[in-house]
Amino acid sequence: MDLVGKLMMTLLFCCFLCGGAKAQNDAHYSATQFGLKGMLMSGVLVAGDDDGSMTYYNPAAIGYVRAKALDVSLLVPNFQVTQLKDAFGKATNDSEFDFQMIPNVLAFKLSLINNPRVGMGGVVLYKNNYENYLQFQSATPLGDQLLESDIHYRSRKREVWIGVGISYDLNDHFSIGLTQFITFRRSIYSYQFSQSIISESGSTAIIGLLDDQFNIDLKAHFGLLNKLGLSYKGNKADVGITLTTPTYGYPLRNGDYQYKSFLKMAEDEPLTGQAYTREKQKITLKTPYSIALGWTFKLKNHSTINFLTEYFGKINPYDIVYKNETADTFRVREAAKQVINVAMAWQIQLNDNFYYLGGFRTDFNYSRSVNNSSQRINTSTYNIYHVSNGFIFWLKNNKFTIGLDYGFSFDRIDQQTD
């Protein structure tokens, strides 16, 4: 393989590598759970619980919550480690450690209707709240030449859901509910891959050059969505089912983007490439519908075992950005495949004031391939698995919660070879 060919292959590998580096941040539906109990039990609360987060998990179970309830998780510690191993050859490693105090949820019970069959609740939650940044540089010998590589990657997403829900008890066992959400989103994604082959170490003579950059900032996205719920409360088991609609409305939407790609194949050839820039472009982001089914089996002493299955519908390929100038076309496309996530959790009462909670859930990647000529925002293929454990206990009429939610993946990216 010639030097320019090696340059192209190395760049291709970098594209896959950075896709993996941000895998825990994009193309996943179940990365975050809400409320202290929801986090410790891996979100397995669709069958209903006496927790203030029912406005989100199943509005039909809002009536399960006691008369006065307030669930506040203002700041949740979040640790994240991003690693690149043998990116451009052996012993060329880099890692990024990130610690953030991330807001999670504010849930509360409302008392606007004086009817014992009616329950009302409100919730403010951060559906997505993360930022990941990575910078990597290396210089690798290629015979008498030197390959210099530079990667800059940043991904940031802020998504807030504000909802008001209402439930109605049909009888002693069945209830229905509806939550109306308003969503606000802003997403920033950018990368820069710059690689050059120079004639020898210490020289400035460039034999080959490839500079690829893509930046998109989806600044203002406002939308609506609904969650409908049905719950059954029995003596030995509870069952719940919810339907979440796709986001609709979008009366406000705009974004900026920039794309540059330049290539120099040989030292005596000119630099060629293309660039597109646009500000305040009207952009639409699509979300899928989902159906969740949960079961809770009641054991002795208020202990339970909980199960959850949630199906997310597919999203056919669509244009976030499309620009056509004569024969040149710049396109940003996205799509999502069908995903089924499952989870189980348990709540064990150790004594009158001490509970042990834990859970496991899948967080499968929904990324779906699209036209290879298109730019992508979601490019990872990793599947994530979460394990949670913790305790809830009472001390002098005060409730305390402590626990850990750990996410990991079995997938890996192998280095490409000639």
Side-chain angles (χ1 to χ4, degrees), residues 13 85-90 92 412-417:
F13 167 69
K85 294 184 178 181
D86 298 334
F88 304 102
K90 293 182 178 179
T92 55
R412 59 176 297 177
I413 295 178
D414 295 322
Q415 183 175 350
Q416 306 232 346
T417 58

Side-chain angles (χ1 to χ4, degrees), residues 133-151:
Y133 176 79
L134 186 66
Q135 179 176 348
F136 180 78
Q137 295 176 316
S138 74
T140 305
L142 294 176
D144 296 333
Q145 287 77 34
L146 187 68
L147 172 65
E148 294 186 342
S149 305
D150 189 6
I151 296 177

Side-chain angles (χ1 to χ4, degrees), residues 374-409:
S374 304
Q375 291 293 323
R376 299 293 307 278
I377 296 179
N378 296 324
T379 57
S380 67
T381 58
Y382 277 47
N383 293 318
I384 308 298
Y385 306 87
H386 293 262
V387 176
S388 56
N389 282 279
F391 298 93
I392 293 179
F393 57 95
W394 283 261
L395 183 63
K396 295 182 179 180
N397 296 324
N398 295 309
K399 182 180 178 181
F400 296 89
T401 304
I402 185 172
L404 176 68
D405 185 331
Y406 176 73
F408 60 94
S409 175

Side-chain angles (χ1 to χ4, degrees), residues 28-128:
H28 292 84
Y29 293 125
S30 303
T32 305
Q33 298 303 319
F34 306 99
L36 297 177
K37 199 168 187 179
M39 287 187 286
L40 293 182
M41 298 184 68
S42 292
V44 189
L45 299 180
V46 172
D49 203 280
D50 60 350
D51 189 80
S53 60
M54 288 301 99
T55 306
Y56 170 76
Y57 283 111
N58 188 347
I62 294 176
Y64 297 178
V65 184
R66 60 187 181 276
K68 295 181 180 180
L70 179 64
D71 187 350
V72 182
S73 302
L74 290 180
L75 295 172
V76 177
N78 182 72
F79 301 88
Q80 180 171 296
V81 178
T82 304
Q83 291 183 325
L84 295 179
K85 294 184 178 181
D86 298 334
F88 304 102
K90 293 182 178 179
T92 55
N93 303 329
D94 192 40
S95 63
E96 179 77 16
F97 175 81
D98 183 42
F99 170 75
Q100 301 179 63
M101 297 293 289
I102 298 179
N104 185 257
V105 69
L106 167 64
F108 48 91
K109 184 77 178 289
L110 297 172
S111 301
L112 302 180
I113 300 178
N114 188 18
N115 186 328
R117 289 183 175 270
V118 176
M120 296 190 67
V123 65
V124 179
L125 58 89
Y126 283 78
K127 194 69 169 64
N128 287 290

Side-chain angles (χ1 to χ4, degrees), residues 12 70 94 113 189 242 262 272 303 323 348 393 408:
L12 179 62
L70 179 64
D94 192 40
I113 300 178
Y189 171 69
T242 62
F262 296 100
T272 61
S303 298
K323 186 177 182 65
I348 300 175
F393 57 95
F408 60 94

